[in-house]
Amino acid sequence: MTLRFARWLLALLILLVAGGLGAWLLLLHPHKQPATRDLAQVFNHGSIGNETAQGLPYWIWRVLPTVFPDHLPGAQRGYSAIGVYWEPGAPLPVGFSEKTLGVIPRVAPNCAFCHQGTYRTQADMPARLVSAGAGTRVDPQSYIRFLVDVGQDPRFTAKTMMAAITAIYDMPAWERGLYRFVLIPATRKALEGQAQRFAWMTTRPDWGPGRIDPFNPVKFENLGLPDDGTIGNSDMMPLWGLAVTDPTDTRRFALHWDGLLSDLHETVVAGAIGDGMSHSEWPGAQDALARMESFVRLQLPPPSPFSPDLPPGDPFHVDPDQVARGGAIYAAHCAECHDPAGPRFRTPIPIVEVATDRHRLDMWTVAARDRYLAYQDDYAWGFQHFHKTEGYLANELTGLWLRGPYLHNGSVPNLRALLSAPAERPDRFWRGSDLVDARNGGFVSLRDADPMRRMVPFDTQVDGNGNAGHLWGTDLPATDKEALLAYLKTL
């Protein structure tokens, strides 16, 4: 090697290192989010470390619904179309975080995207936010499809996007050049890849609002398992009062519909991994995830609007004698499984006993459990509590009035129907409302019952939507059912 060539090689090496460092500082160097002591703020908007994998540059994310409203449900012009709650004056809807990488803020979904809720007790009242709720109006599949569709749309060009961005933001020249020549082309290419990543969804039934197939993406993307054709469609669970799952000297309590994990910390970390966090982002996300874990251990739902103290004639009045009698029926028929002191509380009840739709149960396999326990050879996550079970969880009924529809797959529209024999339950109803059903418990579920919301039909004949099983209480005399219903509304 000549001296001249060696110098040339050294100069090239220095240029490559400087260029790489410059690109990292410009586009990838993570900055901490502003500090806050508000745990609800952390839960609703904190980073879970997925901005590198899933984050969109803020101004692109901001104008996508304006440029492509035809790809949103109902051809609306904002992210509210996918059912997320946007607090007045907030920069982002609940369930989205903003974190700056390099010099560019990125927007990515976090835990609250699915775990949020709203309710109304009257059709004309504003919706009230319920943190860590069951996400009954959120439509994650519509958001995924929106991103897939805009990535394929020929209108996604630098010219179109820059026109939309500069119409609402006086962007400086340096940032304008970065967006036009780097970020918009790179984002479009990344979204084009979404179509292949989520191609498996086209062979399954739609999720619909309030539902998600949470673990098949993890199986196919993170764990590298082949598409096995399983259907994991299920309702999103609320995350309230999970301190009740803290292990004792003699028991561990199950989490997720099928009890596939029995440790809250591992659930939080595994959830972040499933949403795009890698081991390289883990150090920066660790504090926020710990605070989110603290939040869901303590956060409770709002008190039930149903009360014996309301005057008779109020739609939310419940008869005190019925409530007392219903409480005794609950203790005799339900508490064994659903009360925190019950011996079967937060244990998977065998599928042969609960007899509800088993698609969600069959989605999680022994191979998936084994692969997740050994996830990522070059980094020790310390997972120890993944399981393969043969049943569905019996959990607490706190905030039951905000958990509808019912059963793990949301196949029963209200509490009254849940106390009916499966043959008498509606085989078709409508989901997507947050208007409380004062008569039946849960949310209204008739087609025209809530014109303020996008109502989506639910067909129990579709695979994964079966409404059979959970026969407890279905054989009670009619008067006892009414008493039990009155009590359940107050939880």
Side-chain angles (χ1 to χ4, degrees):
M1 181 184 297
T2 65
L3 181 59
R4 182 176 181 183
F5 180 73
R7 287 175 174 170
W8 179 87
L9 193 61
L10 178 62
L12 178 62
L13 183 61
I14 292 173
L15 281 175
L16 288 174
V17 171
L21 180 61
W24 182 77
L25 290 172
L26 190 64
L27 297 172
L28 296 176
H29 173 54
H31 298 265
K32 289 185 177 180
Q33 290 183 301
T36 175
R37 295 183 177 180
D38 185 345
L39 289 185
Q41 175 72 10
V42 174
F43 183 80
N44 290 337
H45 298 291
S47 168
I48 60 171
N50 60 347
E51 287 78 12
T52 302
Q54 309 242 345
L56 298 182
Y58 173 79
W59 286 108
I60 295 176
W61 175 88
R62 173 73 180 272
V63 302
L64 283 179
T66 306
V67 179
F68 305 105
D70 46 318
H71 293 313
L72 284 169
Q76 299 182 44
R77 293 178 66 86
Y79 286 109
S80 296
I82 58 173
V84 290
Y85 184 78
W86 202 320
E87 296 175 278
L92 299 169
V94 171
F96 286 94
S97 67
E98 180 181 325
K99 185 175 181 179
T100 298
L101 300 184
V103 296
I104 300 297
R106 307 283 186 98
V107 177
N110 76 351
C111 302
F113 183 89
C114 292
H115 301 290
Q116 60 178 281
T118 60
Y119 74 94
R120 295 173 295 145
T121 54
Q122 300 176 35
D124 58 352
M125 71 176 284
R128 294 181 178 175
L129 173 66
V130 181
S131 289
T136 51
R137 293 190 56 239
V138 178
D139 192 344
Q141 192 170 42
S142 285
Y143 183 61
I144 293 169
R145 285 177 170 162
F146 172 70
L147 297 181
V148 168
D149 290 344
V150 301
Q152 316 294 315
D153 196 309
R155 294 173 293 171
F156 196 143
T157 64
K159 180 180 179 181
T160 304
M161 299 299 293
M162 289 305 299
I165 292 170
T166 54
I168 58 174
Y169 171 47
D170 186 16
M171 185 175 273
W174 67 267
E175 193 175 8
R176 192 179 299 235
L178 198 56
Y179 264 84
R180 178 180 292 277
F181 298 109
V182 178
L183 297 176
I184 293 174
T187 300
R188 169 161 186 160
K189 188 172 181 59
L191 294 182
E192 286 175 342
Q194 294 272 63
Q196 186 174 0
R197 285 183 57 214
F198 289 100
W200 62 272
M201 289 197 317
T202 62
T203 63
R204 268 74 164 184
D206 285 353
W207 303 347
R211 304 211 313 164
I212 192 171
D213 184 339
F215 281 96
N216 263 329
V218 175
K219 283 164 53 183
F220 307 148
E221 286 287 323
N222 300 70
L223 306 183
L225 294 171
D227 186 345
D228 53 8
T230 55
I231 298 170
N233 296 0
S234 52
D235 273 29
M236 293 175 284
M237 304 181 81
L239 306 179
W240 295 322
L242 293 183
V244 75
T245 67
D246 289 347
T248 70
D249 291 340
T250 56
R251 294 181 66 180
R252 296 198 72 88
F253 299 93
L255 296 112
H256 301 278
W257 286 117
D258 61 345
L260 66 83
L261 263 169
S262 56
D263 183 272
L264 178 58
H265 175 69
E266 291 187 21
T267 294
V268 171
V269 176
I273 291 172
D275 287 332
M277 181 189 74
S278 69
H279 70 280
S280 60
E281 280 89 23
W282 165 240
Q286 199 166 358
D287 178 64
L289 289 173
R291 299 178 77 190
M292 292 179 190
E293 184 177 327
S294 298
F295 181 73
V296 300
R297 292 182 76 254
L298 302 175
Q299 178 69 8
L300 295 174
S304 170
F306 295 95
S307 172
D309 298 331
L310 293 169
D314 187 292
F316 292 93
H317 168 79
V318 283
D319 182 84
D321 293 335
Q322 281 197 324
V323 172
R325 185 177 170 192
I329 296 170
Y330 167 85
H333 293 268
C334 313
E336 179 182 2
C337 294
H338 290 293
D339 192 273
R344 306 182 83 186
F345 174 71
R346 280 199 173 265
T347 64
I349 307 301
I351 187 66
V352 296
E353 185 177 357
V354 70
T356 50
D357 187 292
R358 64 173 299 141
H359 280 85
R360 167 66 181 79
L361 183 62
D362 292 337
M363 178 278 306
W364 189 247
T365 61
V366 172
R369 177 204 61 187
D370 293 345
R371 191 71 65 87
Y372 224 147
L373 283 171
Y375 181 64
Q376 206 158 331
D377 294 337
D378 58 345
Y379 189 84
W381 290 100
F383 291 138
Q384 299 180 45
H385 300 289
F386 276 102
H387 311 284
K388 169 57 188 167
T389 73
E390 288 300 328
Y392 285 120
L393 188 67
N395 60 358
E396 65 283 353
L397 303 185
T398 311
L400 192 62
W401 62 284
L402 282 168
R403 293 177 183 248
Y406 299 95
L407 297 184
H408 76 277
N409 58 355
S411 59
V412 181
N414 52 58
L415 292 173
R416 185 181 297 279
L418 188 64
L419 296 178
S420 301
E424 299 170 0
R425 295 169 180 166
D427 57 8
R428 184 179 171 86
F429 60 93
W430 296 74
R431 298 181 53 130
S433 177
D434 59 354
L435 180 60
V436 178
D437 185 338
R439 178 176 182 272
N440 300 308
F443 299 112
V444 298
S445 55
L446 299 177
R447 180 173 187 172
D448 300 320
D450 188 3
M452 299 288 288
R453 297 289 183 253
R454 181 175 73 96
M455 301 287 277
V456 177
F458 184 93
D459 185 349
T460 61
Q461 302 304 305
V462 172
D463 288 343
N465 290 4
N467 65 351
H470 196 280
L471 302 180
W472 292 276
T474 61
D475 57 353
L476 290 171
T479 52
D480 285 356
K481 286 186 182 181
E482 287 296 327
L484 181 56
L485 177 60
Y487 175 75
L488 294 177
K489 287 177 177 178
T490 66
L491 296 179

